[in-house]
């Protein structure tokens, strides 16, 4: 069995849990298979100790070998803040208006990818399988190949890929496409992203389709596919049975015994549609007066990327909306919105989900959205809550039995929330059973296995022969 080497921007101890879909998924995959996890330590230094950049830190975390490097302030500012989160994140979420194109940022992005390649290469074994994660590291395969790496390399994009007309707005987008094509397999969350990729390489690089989502392009063969990421359903349901989740459930159920609870759990990010969600909730209270006093929205928004300007803007907008809803509709014994700017311990989340009648998962754009799947997994199948889901989340391609909404349509979302709050038990049970079957069938193990199996079937970088079988 070849060793699995995962490379992502941040490395976390896989025995601990953190907010963020990627960290949770990687921890689950690597705890199962063992292997090596390489990336940034999360630490910043004023300057690198020598000409060859940062020192390499090696730690063992159970079955997983962790290899990390620190970044200096300049690299962090350009690679992480400037390009990854100042250009790629907004543009890939269709927010051209928030992108800051700056030539120095892309230089830093390339420099850190080169640095990662240089530090990683000596750690590799000849038959390793490399799996590179997410938009911070699009050029990593190209940089590794330039240093002579011949191992099979797959890439998974956790965020959406925009359509060709939006991608083309990025100066150097053709370079990004060329970099993507240096992987043996490029994985996307949704069929829509795969379609955007096929159309972009056709238009920009005259890729020749070989059938079955494979192309001849830039003098090599690249395969791509949609591999919707899932959660570890077994682990999540076990958490739901644990003391912390039970205690949370009991507390919420007794506190809100006279009311219906709606829940939102997100990183505080402009892609998550939080102001639009608040406006839809306000429209619900305005249009359906019976919901006043009977519905409470608990919105947990964990702090995220607070050094990026757009994030402080969204924080202020959200605080002001919550304040005005509570000011206008609240009473001495009822606050319509409880907004908590914090991360909730993972062990308690299932209890919160289970006590909620409705989950509002309404991003303006999202690669997948694991909160939607966690909510489904945490429900009592005999008396489940209802998922209100944005049609612009990757999860909407799979979770067809949710109430799908357009989060830009405030009135439409308000009326879907009303339908969710008043849905009869029988319909809730039916919808939930179908959703749970999908969430179970496409869990994180399925995601990992199907990606790695397909990577094994892709033509190898060197010989064009299949060599990895799982
Ligand atoms: P994220 O945008 O971080 O990830 P998401 O899929 O919503 O988002 O996953 C977040 C994870 O963090 C979930 O496990 C959730 O429980 C947890 N989390 C979020 N907010 C939390 C909070 N306030 N308190 C506690 N836990 C919290 C990116 C993409 C997504 C994609 C994932 C995985 O943007 O579209 O689904 O990667 O590929």
């Amino acid at each position: 069995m070849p060793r699995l080497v995962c490379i992502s921007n941040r490395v976390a101890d896989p025995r601990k849990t953190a907010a963020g879909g990627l960290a949770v998924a990687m921890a689950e995959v690597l705890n199962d298979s063992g292997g090596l996890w390489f990336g940034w330590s999360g630490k910043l230094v004023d300057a690198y100790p020598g000409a060859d950049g940062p020192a390499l830190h090696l730690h063992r975390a159970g079955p997983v070998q962790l290899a990390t490097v620190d970044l200096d302030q300049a690299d962090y500012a350009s690679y992480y803040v400037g390009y990854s989160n100042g250009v790629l994140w907004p543009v890939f979420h269709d927010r051209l208006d928030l992108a800051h194109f700056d030539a120095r940022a892309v230089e830093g992005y390339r420099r850190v990818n080169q640095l990662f390649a240089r530090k990683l290469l000596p750690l590799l074994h000849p038959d390793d399988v490399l799996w590179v994660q997410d938009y911070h590291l699009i050029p990593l395969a190209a940089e590794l190949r330039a240093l002579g790496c011949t191992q099979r390399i797959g890439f998974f994009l956790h965020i959406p890929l925009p359509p060709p007309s939006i991608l083309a707005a990025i100066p150097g987008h053709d370079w990004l496409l060329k970099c993507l094509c240096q992987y043996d397999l490029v994985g996307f969350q949704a069929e829509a992203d795969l379609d955007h990729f096929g159309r972009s390489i056709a238009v920009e690089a005259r890729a020749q389709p070989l059938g079955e989502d494979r192309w001849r392009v830039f003098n090599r063969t690249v395969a791509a596919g949609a591999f919707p990421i899932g959660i570890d359903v077994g682990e999540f349901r076990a958490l739901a049975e644990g003391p912390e989740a039970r205690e949370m459930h009991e507390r919420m159920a007794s506190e809100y015994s006279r009311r219906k609870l709606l829940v939102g759990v997100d990183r505080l990010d402009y892609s998550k549609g939080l102001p639009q969600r608040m406006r839809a909730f306000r429209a619900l209270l305005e249009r359906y007066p019976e919901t006043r006093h009977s519905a409470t929205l608990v919105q947990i928004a964990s702090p995220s990327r607070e050094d990026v300007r757009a994030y402080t803007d969204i924080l202020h907008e959200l605080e002001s909306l919550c304040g005005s809803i509570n000011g206008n509709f609240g009473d001495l014994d009822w606050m319509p919105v409880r907004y908590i700017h914090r991360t909730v311990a993972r062990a308690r989340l299932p209890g919160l989900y289970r006590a909620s009648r409705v989950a509002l998962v309404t991003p303006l754009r999202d690669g997948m959205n694991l909160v939607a799947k966690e909510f489904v997994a945490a429900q009592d199948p005999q008396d489940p809550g209802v998922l209100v889901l944005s049609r612009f989340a990757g999860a909407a391609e799979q979770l067809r039995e949710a109430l799908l909404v357009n989060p830009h349509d405030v009135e439409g979302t308000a009326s879907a929330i009303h339908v969710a709050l008043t849905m009869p038990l029988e319909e809730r049970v039916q919808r939930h059973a179908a959703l749970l079957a999908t969430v179970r069938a496409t869990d994180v193990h399925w995601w990992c296995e199907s990606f790695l199996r397909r990577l094994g079937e892709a033509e190898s970088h060197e010989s064009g022969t299949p060599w990895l079988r799982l």
Side-chain angles (χ1 to χ4, degrees):
M1 181 87 172
R3 183 177 68 153
L4 181 62
V5 178
C6 286
I7 306 112
S8 59
N9 168 58
R10 279 293 291 272
V11 170
D13 186 330
R15 294 164 303 181
K16 300 180 189 153
T17 50
L22 191 148
V24 171
M26 281 302 93
E28 277 162 2
V29 167
L30 282 166
N31 278 333
D32 274 5
S33 67
L36 173 69
W37 189 358
F38 179 95
W40 174 38
S41 61
K43 289 198 197 96
L44 291 176
V45 291
D46 289 333
Y48 295 131
D52 193 36
L56 183 74
H57 310 296
L58 294 170
H59 310 274
R60 184 149 275 286
V64 186
Q65 175 76 55
L66 304 180
T68 59
V69 290
D70 305 334
L71 286 181
D72 77 5
Q73 301 281 355
D75 279 346
Y76 172 78
S78 53
Y79 148 81
Y80 184 76
V81 180
Y83 199 72
S84 298
N85 291 322
V87 174
L88 296 178
W89 179 273
V91 176
F92 282 29
H93 287 87
D94 301 345
R95 291 298 302 269
L96 274 174
D97 57 317
L98 294 178
H100 298 286
F101 302 114
D102 171 350
R104 280 166 309 175
V106 72
E107 277 165 26
Y109 180 69
R110 173 128 198 232
R111 193 167 60 241
V112 170
N113 273 272
Q114 285 169 339
L115 186 154
F116 270 32
R118 262 199 338 269
K119 297 287 170 180
L120 174 62
L121 196 73
L123 304 178
L124 296 179
H125 302 160
D127 65 346
D128 283 346
V129 174
L130 278 64
W131 192 1
V132 178
Q133 307 290 330
D134 228 359
Y135 61 103
H136 315 85
L137 301 175
I138 291 172
L140 188 63
E143 299 300 349
L144 283 164
R145 301 277 187 233
L147 297 176
C149 171
T150 57
Q151 282 87 343
R152 192 161 297 220
I153 316 179
F155 176 80
F156 188 79
L157 186 67
H158 288 256
I159 65 176
L161 189 76
S165 55
I166 292 186
L167 187 66
I170 301 180
H173 66 279
D174 43 349
W175 169 70
L176 288 171
L177 283 173
K178 190 169 182 182
C179 288
L180 277 176
C181 293
Q182 302 309 305
Y183 289 94
D184 297 303
L185 175 64
V186 182
F188 298 102
Q189 298 274 26
E191 293 291 337
D193 307 313
L194 176 61
D195 174 62
H196 296 161
F197 177 67
R199 288 201 278 133
S200 278
I201 58 173
V203 171
E204 302 285 341
R206 302 214 185 119
Q208 297 298 315
L210 302 174
E212 298 174 329
D213 298 322
R214 291 158 62 249
W215 293 265
R216 192 76 198 155
V217 59
F218 299 116
N219 244 349
R220 62 189 314 281
T221 301
V222 63
F227 303 90
I229 195 168
I231 61 166
D232 187 334
V233 179
E235 180 251 17
F236 206 74
R237 288 191 73 88
L239 267 189
E241 297 303 323
E244 291 173 77
R246 280 170 177 274
E247 197 255 342
M248 181 74 163
H249 179 253
E250 273 161 31
R251 251 183 48 206
M252 298 306 277
S254 93
E255 172 116 15
Y256 294 97
S257 57
R258 291 185 301 119
R259 314 199 197 284
K260 286 179 182 159
L261 195 61
L262 299 99
V263 73
V265 175
D266 306 79
R267 267 189 316 103
L268 185 55
D269 189 291
Y270 50 79
S271 67
K272 303 290 182 186
L274 294 168
Q276 289 78 359
R277 186 180 304 169
M278 287 303 154
R279 289 191 197 102
F281 185 64
R282 183 172 60 197
L284 173 89
L285 302 176
E286 279 163 359
R287 271 183 41 194
Y288 304 98
E290 72 275 17
T291 57
R292 295 181 205 164
H293 286 267
S294 72
T296 300
L297 170 58
V298 172
Q299 175 62 57
I300 319 273
S302 56
S304 179
R305 302 178 199 158
E306 287 174 332
D307 42 5
V308 179
R309 167 79 198 277
Y311 289 76
T312 42
D313 291 348
I314 195 92
L315 173 68
H316 294 137
E317 188 179 2
L318 191 59
E319 282 174 355
S320 134
L321 271 165
C322 294
S324 89
I325 294 172
N326 282 341
N328 290 328
F329 293 94
D331 216 328
L332 288 173
D333 62 347
W334 174 63
M335 279 296 142
V337 181
R338 281 201 164 184
Y339 162 63
I340 297 148
H341 182 41
R342 210 175 308 138
T343 301
V344 171
R346 190 163 170 76
R348 303 172 71 190
L349 268 182
L352 175 61
Y353 291 143
R354 202 170 176 129
S356 304
R357 171 55 66 85
V358 177
L360 300 182
V361 181
T362 54
L364 304 179
R365 197 76 186 92
D366 217 329
M368 176 55 53
N369 196 300
L370 294 178
V371 170
K373 297 186 173 183
E374 291 170 353
F375 177 76
V376 169
Q379 295 307 299
D380 171 2
Q382 315 298 319
D383 185 17
V386 180
L387 176 62
V388 174
L389 178 63
S390 163
R391 56 181 293 180
F392 304 120
E397 275 189 9
Q398 293 183 291
L399 304 181
R400 308 304 297 178
E401 295 80 9
L403 293 181
L404 295 185
V405 296
N406 168 5
H408 299 281
D409 175 3
V410 166
E411 296 295 321
T413 304
S415 80
I417 299 173
H418 187 248
V419 169
L421 283 169
T422 53
M423 188 179 284
L425 177 64
E426 194 185 344
E427 184 178 350
R428 283 192 278 126
V429 168
Q430 274 172 10
R431 284 179 184 265
H432 175 261
L435 290 169
L436 185 60
T438 305
V439 170
R440 276 188 195 285
T442 54
D443 70 357
V444 73
H445 306 293
W446 171 88
W447 171 72
C448 183
E449 277 163 27
S450 50
F451 183 92
L452 292 176
R453 188 178 319 110
R454 181 80 192 281
L455 179 58
E457 289 162 4
E459 284 171 33
S460 94
H461 174 64
E462 285 291 270
S463 62
T465 50
W467 58 274
L468 175 72
R469 294 270 174 244
L470 290 174

